[in-house]
Amino acid sequence: MVVEADGGSRGNPGPAGYGAVVKDSDGQVLAERRESLGVVTNNVAEYRGLIAGLAAAAEVGASTVDVRMDSKLVVEQMSGRWKIKHPDMQPLAEQAKGLAAGFARVEYEWIPRAQNSHADRLANEAMDAATGKPAAGRPGTAGKPVAAATLPKLPTRKPDRAAVAWTGAKGTPTRLVLLRHGQTEMSALRRYSGRGDVPLTELGRTQAAAAAKRLAATEGLVVDGEAVPIVSSPLTRTKQTAQAVADALGGRVETHPGLIETDFGDWEGLTFAEAADRDPDLHGAWLGDSSVPPPGGESFDVVHRRVRKARDELIAEHGGKTLVLVSHVTPIKTLLRMGLDAGPQLLFRLHLDLASLSIVEFYPDGNASVRLVNDTSHLS
């Protein structure tokens, strides 16, 4: 028999639910399960969906089970290829293993979200019940705005021989997967947000969860059962976004002070227009000269040196590997600027959306390659 299971939360953590369906080999539905879970994370909801699906399969007399889920984390952990480090996941995994032991055979398969629509619908119905809101007009996935089948794959670490031939780059590059944090109240109002430590909004948490899901389905971010390093700015909005990634990959979050956002000084909390009205001459000079700092803040030249130092330290520690860096708009633009060997005007001409993904590789011989910029296809 086939078990299809899913789970999600609107906020991660947030109002959550799971869905599971048991089908025979002809696709006939034998059992359905759905349940609201209160406030938990996506991963907890996904495991609960698996547990419910296995229990339902046992109830209808299954002897062998093919489990199909769109959670890369659950499939890889239950298959024994990824380690289970998160304390919230360990007892759920043990419960699932106990149920699986009652069958002659259980196999786990990752499928795109579009192929898991039945369980996904049940999970959304459970979340609708938890929030008291109707399902109409909501995204068609369980806290996952876009079906994975519609998403382009991120560039892999496999050598691009044509690109290397054109650049002459030598050695194994250090790949930096750059993720901007999700929405905050400051970003929603388009205000300068530097060192102010504001958390993600509910939408921001949903954006972070969607990006995390995208990364969890990407090759090369878990190696020999271990997630690649996940390094975040020390501010709350980036740490929350990074934690969503760590939960999805089964890793842990480190912080690096060099990845923190620009200090906008007295302009913190102001809009562009308000800062220009407050300090018209200085604001105009700041836009045209990267050495000019905001009043009481730091210039983009200072940010550039700080981020370069952070990059060099991370490459020294993790050279030739892949890292996920969760940061802010200016540090990410700065890393892309280094990859392009471009001038400071790039900071004003390059747009980066919230929760967007970019990729840059730095080779040991000094060459670099920007592989992706401002990918938001995982967001609705």
Side-chain angles (χ1 to χ4, degrees):
M1 294 184 187
V2 173
V3 169
E4 296 172 359
D6 199 10
S9 69
R10 290 174 179 155
N12 197 36
Y18 68 73
V21 58
V22 181
K23 301 178 180 179
D24 64 18
S25 58
D26 295 323
Q28 183 70 32
V29 174
L30 304 179
E32 289 183 340
R33 298 290 185 270
R34 67 174 73 79
E35 184 182 354
S36 302
L37 298 174
V39 177
V40 299
T41 65
N42 282 333
N43 296 150
V44 167
E46 288 164 345
Y47 261 108
R48 291 289 300 274
L50 169 63
I51 291 167
L54 291 173
E59 291 172 12
V60 299
S63 59
T64 63
V65 177
D66 293 313
V67 176
R68 299 172 181 170
M69 299 182 69
D70 63 66
S71 170
K72 187 80 167 177
L73 177 83
V74 174
V75 167
E76 294 298 315
Q77 287 183 341
M78 291 302 297
S79 300
R81 292 185 289 269
W82 291 9
K83 296 179 181 179
I84 306 171
K85 294 184 176 181
H86 198 288
D88 290 345
M89 302 299 108
Q90 292 169 349
L92 295 172
E94 288 302 315
Q95 185 177 353
K97 289 176 182 177
L99 288 167
F103 302 101
R105 175 187 60 80
V106 178
E107 293 186 357
Y108 298 90
E109 178 188 1
W110 177 85
I111 58 175
R113 295 173 199 162
Q115 296 179 23
N116 203 27
S117 58
H118 193 146
D120 179 79
R121 173 177 57 79
L122 296 173
N124 269 286
E125 290 172 359
M127 284 186 284
D128 288 333
T131 59
K133 297 178 180 179
R138 289 194 173 276
T141 56
K144 309 158 188 172
V146 181
T150 68
L151 297 178
K153 291 184 178 180
L154 294 178
T156 68
R157 276 197 61 86
K158 296 177 182 178
D160 187 338
R161 300 189 185 282
V164 170
W166 279 108
T167 64
K170 297 179 180 179
T172 302
T174 303
R175 165 171 288 205
L176 305 182
V177 179
L178 309 173
L179 173 60
R180 188 185 174 196
H181 63 79
Q183 186 197 67
T184 69
E185 289 187 1
M186 295 280 275
S187 59
L189 296 173
R190 306 186 73 83
R191 296 184 178 276
Y192 286 116
S193 181
R195 302 300 174 84
D197 201 10
V198 291
L200 298 178
T201 61
E202 180 179 355
L203 175 59
R205 293 191 295 271
T206 299
Q207 291 171 334
K213 279 287 189 181
R214 177 86 180 281
L215 293 175
T218 299
E219 293 182 14
L221 297 185
V222 177
V223 180
D224 297 329
E226 296 278 354
V228 301
I230 302 164
V231 187
S232 170
S233 152
L235 294 178
T236 298
R237 56 192 183 270
T238 43
K239 289 195 294 183
Q240 287 178 311
T241 304
Q243 190 59 55
V245 175
D247 289 344
L249 295 179
R252 63 184 182 87
V253 178
E254 308 170 23
T255 61
H256 194 299
L259 298 178
I260 200 168
E261 180 59 293
T262 305
D263 185 348
F264 291 111
D266 295 343
W267 294 344
E268 180 78 13
L270 301 182
T271 64
F272 185 94
E274 289 169 346
D277 288 343
R278 180 186 186 277
D279 301 296
D281 293 339
L282 179 58
H283 196 262
W286 175 73
L287 291 174
D289 187 342
S290 59
S291 69
V292 175
E298 64 179 341
S299 70
F300 287 135
D301 283 355
V302 170
V303 175
H304 190 90
R305 291 191 292 270
R306 166 165 59 77
V307 174
R308 180 180 290 278
K309 182 174 182 291
R311 182 206 64 172
D312 292 347
E313 291 172 354
L314 291 170
I315 290 177
E317 184 176 358
H318 304 288
K321 298 180 180 179
T322 296
L323 296 84
V324 177
L325 305 188
V326 185
S327 188
H328 311 265
V329 64
T330 310
I332 292 174
K333 285 183 178 182
T334 299
L335 288 164
L336 294 172
R337 174 188 165 193
M338 293 175 194
L340 294 169
D341 195 21
Q345 283 304 311
L346 176 139
L347 299 172
F348 301 102
R349 299 183 181 185
L350 176 63
H351 177 77
L352 293 179
D353 287 296
L354 294 161
S356 63
L357 287 163
S358 302
I359 296 176
V360 60
E361 294 176 339
F362 294 100
Y363 287 80
D365 66 353
N367 274 296
S369 177
V370 173
R371 304 295 301 275
L372 187 75
V373 177
N374 198 41
D375 186 338
T376 59
S377 53
H378 47 279
L379 304 177
S380 58

